[in-house]
Amino acid sequence: MAVAQSSSQPVAEQWQIAATGAQDVTVLLVLAVAIGVGVVWTYRSLDPQLRKSIRLGITALRALALGVCLCLLMQPSLRFRTILNTPAHLAILVDVSGSMNSGGTESRLNAARVLLERAKTQLRDLEKRFNVSWFRFAETPTEVRDARESTEPPAEKHLSSNLCGSLEQVLERFTDEELAGVVLLSDGADTERPLTPIKAEDVAFARAHGVPVNTVLLSSTEHRKDLAIAEVKVDPIAFSRSEAPIRVDVKSIGIPDREVEVILWQDGSVVQRRVVQIIGGAGQANFAVAPSRLGPHVMTVTVPVPPEDKLPENNRAYLSFKVVRDKIRVLHLVGHPSWDQRMLRDTLTAWPLVDLVSFYILRTAYQSSTYGSSGLALIPFPRPQTIFEKHLDEFDIVVFQDFKPVTVWHERHMQRVVDFVERGGAVVVIGGTHGLRAGGPASSILQRILPLRLLPRKTPKRRQNDLASFRLNLTPVGFRHPITRLKTDIEENKRLWRSLARLDGANRVLGLAQGALSLAEHPHAQVEDGALPIIAVKETGKGRALAITTDALWRWRFSGPLGGGPLDTYADFWHRAVSWLTRDPELDTLRVQITPSPVPKDQPARIEFELLNEAYLPVPGVQLNCTVSWLGKDGVKAYDNFSIRLNDQGRYSLKWRPKVDGPHRLTVTGENGVSAATRFLVQTKNKELSRLDANEPLLKAIAEASTGHHQQNELKLDELQTRVTATQKVLSRVDIPIWDRPWAIGVFILLLALEWVLRRRVGLL
Amino acid sequence: MPLIGDAKTRGTVIVRAGRRNFAKTIGLVAGAAALPSLGWGLGTASQINLAQIVYPGGNWQPRPTALRRLAWEIHKRTAIDTVLEPRSIKPTLHALSSNPLVFLAGDRPFPAWSSSSTNAMRRFLKLGGTLIIDPAEVSGVNATGFEESVDQLLEAVVPKVRLEPIAADHVLYRSFYQINRPLGRVEGPPHLWAHEMTGRLSIIRTRHDLGGAWARDNLGSWEYEVSPGGQRQREYAFRLGINLVFYGLCQDYKDELSHRRFGDPMVKD
């Protein structure tokens, strides 16, 4: 505890009296209170008949003795220190990003150099008071030796601006040191933050450090004449068949306001055009595209290049987004209400991705004709032509659940379903009382697309079904197929399937159709070519078909333990089935993945290939021929071809270096006939080119938040705001104890002795 | 009669039945109507069992023939393939999982269920099961006691949940028949009560003694008089029973707005 201190010099010796003993404030307070109580008790215990001066004298001697005792407990020492007074740091940051660097000798960076040159004398004075650290920054800050180095143009001309991030990094670098202030010379452009009005939270970091940031705006624009696409905004995920809005901000500097045509391109073709009126140097074009193809999309936006435009590079911009399915439209045709129908309905209606249209047969024809329609609550049931000729293509999946279409609808409607599947639609046929029994779809043209060969019409009834309950077995294909691979780990998947409820019976069939795959089969019942398939799939034309030979899958809905485990196994199964049926790109058998997205130009991208067969087993050793094309506004130009051969796991990975920026397409064809195409974007970090105008509000906000000073195109160092000028560093310290000297004990004894003498003289002893 | 090409028929979509083919068509549809009873199904999982809950104490089956008769009426009037001799089940996990629609009836107090039974019922309702509570109104017996026991049971199964009246425009009243007000053996209140769980009615409670209106002995005589509406009221009681089963199976099918986009209806169902 310091009790005295001498004055200081830049490097100075100081002394002070310091306590080296009991320093606990609580203990000292308790002792002080005890002394006070003791002193009061001493005074009150004296005979009131005594003269007051005597009583006060005795009390004072007791108080002094106790005080000396307390001092001894604190063990006072004489402390000698050698102090070094260190000047605080002052950080000076110079922005060397692309927006500062363009314009040659008239660049803002050159203006910064001129300002620092003019302030050379003041800077020298500043260096006497502060420890000045110099930084230059674009994407990140770099410490340099002096002012000259800080304003040297960087080798890369169009570095992006990470103003706030760089400033924050510099402030954090001085966390353990005394930073008196910051001087920031910049045009305020920060390409890492969006083009939105500045909010308090954007500059909260500057306030949090408590260091004044003095900002100097460099905003000369005389040399610039530029029309640029400042920003393109599009959601990274778009939904198929839904409009995806695209907003394009156009800015101009030094060019008179005019009408500008903004064009949106894809694969070398114009998608949309907009005419934008530039007012006050800014304009906005809004596009809306409704892509139907799933997967990545890349597009180009252009504005014309006026003759006076000094920077034609920023008149073009690229955008990329991924299209996912918005809604999967399912037509659910049900032969009669059942628990299987109810649980499937529950699952599909609870899935926001599915748009379900159901038609249930609630009465047989006989019932309709016998009982009439009196009192019934009926909904319109459309004509078959309406469903199959007008609206079928609106759906992604048609589900026939325990439904015998052949006896209800004409063959030509079933032919529409076959065409629908061969064009890329999907069909699900679920068995039961009517669905897959002999004489059902077997007699229909629908049989052509089903994964199963159904029993002929005249099959005896006793042979049409297997009524024994069973627990189905996954086939080797079923363990890997996305529909039945409910758990990634194969052993875990096996355990899950073994834990599912037993099923009550199955429709017998002749066997699998050609090209079909059985995913799950009956444990005992046999057909011509093996076990009775329970879940089977088939690719038909561009579409897919799924058949289930039982109507008891609904039992899985109730088979899990409450609140956990395979509670949603039933829903999971159907979600997977729907994803496979609708060709979710995630489940493609030839998978091509390009990372990162977008691919930075001049940096290698990683391209990974994986090939699976229809059974989702790896296909090793296949040669894949790849073509990379550039999809510019001038058309599609192939510019790189290479071949790879897949390894034993059916995979291959390579690094590929792009040569040009813009939209690209990678087309892959295998020697076994498989093919895939994906699009990706190669992008130069040219955001800087689109943000050439100064952003004074950001610099002002930083200065205000940090209690710094803001200046425009001038550097007055005498107006800088700083918080401290120096810090002290203790070079050496010596403590000389003064409490353990004999005289200190002597004073204590002397005071007690004097009190004793005084008490004796007044007759108290 | 709506027509569709020259298709054969069995289903809602109706055959083109010219005079010449009338006899043939009648033969076909009659045969088709008989299909469910020919045992072509895949066993009991394909059929709808109107299960009645057996519980200890009280009287779990005050109208023993009621569900059998309702099952027959459903079989006769609709495409639902019902088990004609409904089973009685104990409220166990296994039994409830096989019968997603269960009836609880009674006419006197009954003791509290075991915790395993209440847990099983809670899980059953959560996973999609439907419980229909139908007290029997019997003169001279403490029917109020049954209601109180049901209240205690529901408190154990779904604590702090209060059954609310079902609005008159709810799809339950349109799931097959158009019903203006619920009626059973007795006229009862103008609505049913229910507990809604994730958008569906999981517990439905009547106070109309539906079982009393449905009950019919083996000789074909109605077991209880229906008042005040007589046979017409009995028909409405059956219609309500059929609607309850249809709601359990089809849920809000009749509320699907997307049907409208198809327009140009051929028939209604």
Side-chain angles (χ1 to χ4, degrees):
Chain A
M1 179 166 46
V3 293
Q5 185 172 311
S6 69
S7 63
S8 63
Q9 297 295 321
V11 177
E13 296 291 333
Q14 288 183 346
W15 64 269
Q16 62 183 183
I17 295 170
T20 58
Q23 293 190 26
D24 189 315
V25 178
T26 313
V27 172
L28 292 174
L29 273 175
V30 169
L31 288 173
V33 169
I35 289 170
V37 170
V39 170
V40 172
W41 177 81
T42 302
Y43 182 79
R44 295 186 63 143
S45 65
L46 294 173
D47 185 354
Q49 302 295 327
L50 286 174
R51 285 209 317 267
K52 193 173 182 179
S53 58
I54 301 278
R55 282 190 287 155
L56 286 173
I58 291 171
T59 306
L61 287 169
R62 176 66 62 89
L64 282 170
L66 290 172
V68 169
C69 184
L70 181 63
C71 283
L72 291 177
L73 280 173
M74 289 167 65
Q75 300 177 5
S77 298
L78 201 56
R79 177 170 292 169
F80 293 94
R81 298 191 304 170
T82 308
I83 301 290
L84 175 64
N85 288 306
T86 312
H89 289 275
L90 180 77
I92 302 180
L93 285 80
V94 180
D95 184 349
V96 294
S97 64
S99 61
M100 290 285 290
N101 200 16
S102 62
T105 54
E106 295 178 55
S107 70
R108 290 165 182 164
L109 186 58
N110 201 45
R113 189 181 304 118
V114 170
L115 285 183
L116 290 171
E117 187 65 32
R118 280 186 202 149
K120 198 192 291 180
T121 313
Q122 285 175 294
L123 280 169
R124 249 184 242 121
D125 292 342
L126 212 59
E127 281 170 343
K128 287 177 189 165
R129 289 164 52 208
F130 298 103
N131 185 3
V132 176
S133 300
W134 290 91
F135 295 88
R136 50 192 273 134
F137 74 92
E139 292 158 17
T140 54
T142 310
E143 189 160 6
V144 292
R145 282 174 295 180
D146 50 28
R148 189 187 56 78
E149 209 172 314
S150 72
T151 54
E152 271 184 12
E156 193 179 334
K157 199 177 173 188
H158 301 309
L159 288 171
S160 61
S161 310
N162 180 15
L163 190 154
C164 291
S166 298
L167 176 59
E168 192 168 8
Q169 283 181 49
V170 170
L171 290 169
E172 279 169 6
R173 178 198 169 304
F174 291 98
T175 303
D176 298 328
E177 298 174 77
E178 196 63 60
L179 182 62
V182 174
V183 181
L184 172 65
L185 292 93
S186 171
D187 57 5
D190 188 339
T191 50
E192 298 303 310
R193 60 178 304 282
L195 275 176
T196 49
I198 292 146
K199 298 175 195 157
E201 58 260 31
D202 295 339
V203 292
F205 72 95
R207 186 182 298 110
H209 283 82
V211 175
V213 179
N214 300 276
T215 53
V216 179
L217 172 71
L218 301 159
S219 62
S220 63
T221 58
E222 293 80 12
H223 64 285
R224 290 170 203 275
K225 288 186 190 298
D226 184 40
L227 177 68
I229 296 174
E231 189 165 43
V232 179
K233 287 200 82 172
V234 61
D235 283 338
I237 300 291
F239 296 102
S240 65
R241 298 183 286 206
S242 298
E243 285 199 336
I246 299 169
R247 198 188 80 193
V248 180
D249 288 319
V250 182
K251 291 210 165 189
S252 72
I253 304 171
I255 294 178
D257 288 350
R258 61 180 68 179
E259 276 190 347
V260 170
E261 186 178 43
V262 185
I263 305 177
L264 184 67
W265 305 77
Q266 186 174 31
D267 296 358
S269 305
V270 173
V271 178
Q272 285 174 23
R273 297 169 188 268
R274 296 283 184 275
V275 175
V276 176
Q277 178 66 50
I278 305 292
I279 301 170
Q284 191 177 87
N286 290 294
F287 297 94
V289 292
S292 56
R293 179 175 54 79
L294 301 182
H297 282 241
V298 283
M299 293 182 169
T300 306
V301 183
T302 59
V303 290
V305 182
E308 63 269 41
D309 196 330
K310 303 283 187 193
L311 264 175
E313 299 99 310
N314 59 17
N315 293 41
R316 186 181 66 229
Y318 307 113
L319 61 132
S320 63
F321 55 91
K322 186 179 177 184
V323 176
V324 297
R325 211 176 277 279
D326 63 332
K327 284 280 184 189
I328 296 172
R329 294 172 173 87
V330 179
L331 176 62
H332 190 195
L333 300 167
V334 177
H336 62 101
S338 67
W339 293 128
D340 208 32
Q341 153 266 314
R342 153 74 197 282
M343 299 310 165
L344 180 55
R345 177 183 176 80
D346 274 4
T347 301
L348 295 178
T349 51
W351 194 9
L353 193 62
V354 167
D355 184 7
L356 182 69
V357 176
S358 316
F359 290 107
Y360 298 170
I361 290 182
L362 305 183
R363 295 190 300 165
T364 64
Y366 174 75
Q367 288 159 344
S368 299
S369 58
T370 305
Y371 298 104
S373 299
S374 171
L376 293 173
L378 303 175
I379 59 172
F381 201 106
R383 290 177 184 277
Q385 308 82 304
T386 308
I387 296 179
F388 294 110
E389 290 176 20
K390 285 187 185 170
H391 294 283
L392 192 59
D393 288 335
E394 293 172 12
F395 295 97
D396 300 295
I397 303 175
V398 178
V399 180
F400 291 104
Q401 183 157 25
D402 206 2
F403 196 90
K404 197 168 69 166
V406 68
T407 56
V408 178
W409 287 321
H410 194 274
E411 278 292 286
R412 76 166 184 273
H413 302 312
M414 293 304 97
Q415 180 60 52
R416 297 281 300 174
V417 176
V418 172
D419 296 344
F420 161 77
V421 173
E422 287 178 344
R423 283 199 308 273
V427 68
V428 179
V429 178
I430 303 172
T433 310
H434 315 301
L436 282 170
R437 72 175 181 81
S443 308
S444 159
I445 197 166
L446 209 57
Q447 166 81 69
R448 271 174 43 192
I449 56 171
L450 293 184
L452 302 170
R453 286 180 294 121
L454 304 185
L455 294 172
R457 177 186 287 271
K458 291 183 179 173
T459 307
K461 292 179 185 73
R462 60 186 166 77
R463 291 185 55 199
Q464 291 186 6
N465 300 317
D466 189 305
L467 299 181
S469 82
F470 65 97
R471 181 167 282 126
L472 55 75
N473 289 337
L474 279 193
T475 62
V477 173
F479 282 121
R480 290 184 172 275
H481 198 279
I483 292 181
T484 40
R485 194 166 181 176
L486 302 177
K487 295 282 179 189
T488 311
D489 181 76
I490 289 193
E491 287 306 314
E492 209 180 330
N493 197 33
K494 278 183 189 173
R495 280 195 296 276
L496 173 64
W497 279 89
R498 277 198 295 267
S499 73
L500 294 177
R502 294 176 71 83
L503 307 177
D504 302 78
N507 296 117
R508 285 187 173 276
V509 293
L510 282 179
L512 282 176
Q514 193 175 9
L517 296 167
S518 173
L519 307 185
E521 59 193 17
H522 199 286
H524 313 300
Q526 295 290 308
V527 290
E528 286 176 358
D529 47 2
L532 170 65
I534 302 299
I535 302 170
V537 293
K538 183 183 171 188
E539 305 238 3
T540 303
K542 292 180 179 175
R544 289 176 168 176
L546 164 69
I548 298 170
T549 57
T550 179
D551 61 355
L553 292 192
W554 66 270
R555 288 197 177 276
W556 296 347
R557 185 76 182 87
F558 288 91
S559 64
L562 186 61
L567 184 67
D568 293 324
T569 301
Y570 181 75
D572 195 13
F573 169 80
W574 277 111
H575 288 185
R576 286 165 175 276
V578 167
S579 298
W580 180 80
L581 287 163
T582 53
R583 292 187 178 273
D584 186 330
E586 307 260 322
L587 303 179
D588 281 349
T589 50
L590 175 54
R591 297 169 190 177
V592 182
Q593 186 153 9
I594 302 167
T595 50
S597 177
V599 176
K601 197 189 162 200
D602 306 325
Q603 280 187 34
R606 178 162 292 282
I607 308 179
E608 290 170 285
F609 303 86
E610 185 179 18
L611 180 61
L612 306 169
N613 62 17
E614 286 181 349
Y616 286 82
L617 296 167
V619 182
V622 173
Q623 180 176 308
L624 300 177
N625 302 313
C626 308
T627 303
V628 182
S629 307
W630 181 75
L631 311 172
K633 67 173 190 176
D634 305 324
V636 178
K637 290 178 185 168
Y639 77 88
D640 199 0
N641 291 292
F642 55 89
S643 296
I644 56 145
R645 189 165 289 282
L646 298 174
N647 64 16
D648 291 345
Q649 285 80 45
R651 293 181 178 179
Y652 195 86
S653 175
L654 60 83
K655 282 187 176 178
W656 176 82
R657 189 175 284 274
K659 293 172 186 164
V660 292
D661 61 353
H664 283 63
R665 183 177 67 199
L666 171 61
T667 311
V668 183
T669 51
E671 58 186 3
N672 61 347
V674 296
S675 65
T678 187
R679 286 156 174 82
F680 62 98
L681 180 60
V682 175
Q683 199 158 33
T684 310
K685 287 188 174 177
N686 63 351
K687 252 185 176 178
E688 192 65 22
L689 295 177
S690 60
R691 302 263 189 101
L692 292 176
D693 49 332
N695 185 1
E696 187 173 16
L698 178 62
L699 294 180
K700 264 187 174 173
I702 290 171
E704 279 171 20
S706 63
T707 65
H709 181 63
H710 176 68
Q711 302 176 61
Q712 290 174 316
N713 299 310
E714 59 182 5
L715 180 59
K716 292 181 182 170
L717 291 173
D718 52 342
E719 292 179 5
L720 288 188
Q721 296 293 319
T722 55
R723 55 175 186 173
V724 287
T725 53
T727 56
Q728 291 188 331
K729 188 175 178 184
V730 177
L731 298 178
S732 65
R733 190 183 83 174
V734 177
D735 287 337
I736 301 171
I738 53 177
W739 60 274
D740 59 349
R741 297 293 183 268
W743 60 263
I745 306 297
V747 168
F748 178 63
I749 294 169
L750 179 63
L751 289 168
L752 291 176
L754 281 174
E755 184 187 342
W756 182 82
V757 169
L758 192 56
R759 282 176 178 265
R760 187 166 183 89
R761 289 194 60 163
V762 297
L764 292 176
L765 293 174
Chain B
M1 183 181 287
L3 305 176
I4 166 178
D6 56 356
K8 302 167 190 173
T9 185
R10 183 172 176 273
T12 307
V13 187
I14 313 299
V15 69
R16 176 190 290 278
R19 278 168 192 267
R20 237 179 282 171
N21 295 324
F22 181 74
K24 187 179 173 186
T25 305
I26 289 297
L28 274 174
V29 295
L35 288 181
S37 60
L38 292 179
W40 288 4
L42 293 180
T44 51
S46 295
Q47 294 179 297
I48 306 302
N49 178 42
L50 309 180
Q52 183 137 18
I53 295 180
V54 181
Y55 53 85
N59 177 14
W60 62 271
Q61 198 176 32
R63 314 294 192 204
T65 57
L67 288 187
R68 189 173 62 194
R69 188 67 206 176
L70 177 64
W72 169 249
E73 291 294 334
I74 292 171
H75 176 80
K76 192 175 69 176
R77 302 182 194 197
T78 77
I80 297 176
D81 188 6
T82 50
V83 176
L84 295 180
E85 284 294 334
R87 280 163 296 195
S88 307
I89 60 164
K90 290 184 178 174
T92 62
L93 218 53
H94 177 72
L96 288 170
S97 297
S98 302
N99 299 280
L101 180 77
V102 292
F103 288 79
L104 177 69
D107 60 7
R108 63 200 68 181
F110 59 87
W113 288 10
S114 66
S115 61
S116 64
S117 295
T118 52
N119 287 342
M121 180 57 74
R122 188 180 310 117
R123 177 181 183 279
F124 165 78
L125 296 172
K126 186 177 174 185
L127 293 181
T130 308
L131 170 67
I132 295 168
I133 302 166
D134 182 36
E137 290 282 335
V138 182
S139 58
V141 177
N142 182 11
T144 315
F146 175 75
E147 298 266 15
E148 286 166 0
S149 297
V150 166
D151 288 340
Q152 288 164 11
L153 172 66
L154 293 182
E155 180 60 28
V157 173
V158 281
K160 295 178 184 172
V161 162
R162 214 170 134 242
L163 270 55
E164 302 289 340
I166 301 174
D169 60 349
H170 194 276
V171 72
L172 169 66
Y173 297 124
R174 293 178 274 119
S175 58
F176 190 75
Y177 285 105
Q178 180 71 48
I179 290 176
N180 298 325
R181 102 184 280 286
L183 290 167
R185 191 186 64 77
V186 296
E187 187 175 17
H191 51 254
L192 304 174
W193 286 261
H195 169 50
E196 195 170 295
M197 202 179 270
T198 58
R200 65 186 175 81
L201 306 181
S202 56
I203 303 171
I204 301 170
R205 189 171 184 169
T206 79
R207 289 202 169 95
H208 305 83
D209 189 8
L210 292 173
W214 301 336
R216 192 172 194 179
D217 65 22
N218 291 334
L219 298 175
S221 305
W222 299 112
E223 293 185 28
Y224 304 98
E225 286 300 315
V226 173
S227 68
Q231 289 309 307
R232 193 171 186 81
Q233 184 172 324
R234 194 186 302 278
E235 168 60 18
Y236 291 142
F238 274 112
R239 290 183 178 189
L240 180 56
I242 291 168
N243 269 29
L244 288 169
V245 175
F246 263 91
Y247 178 77
L249 283 163
C250 302
Q251 301 284 285
D252 58 350
Y253 165 63
K254 287 286 174 77
D255 268 351
E256 259 186 40
L257 294 175
S258 49
H259 290 126
R260 290 181 190 166
R261 83 161 101 142
F262 287 85
D264 185 23
M266 186 181 69
V267 293
K268 290 182 171 184
D269 213 336

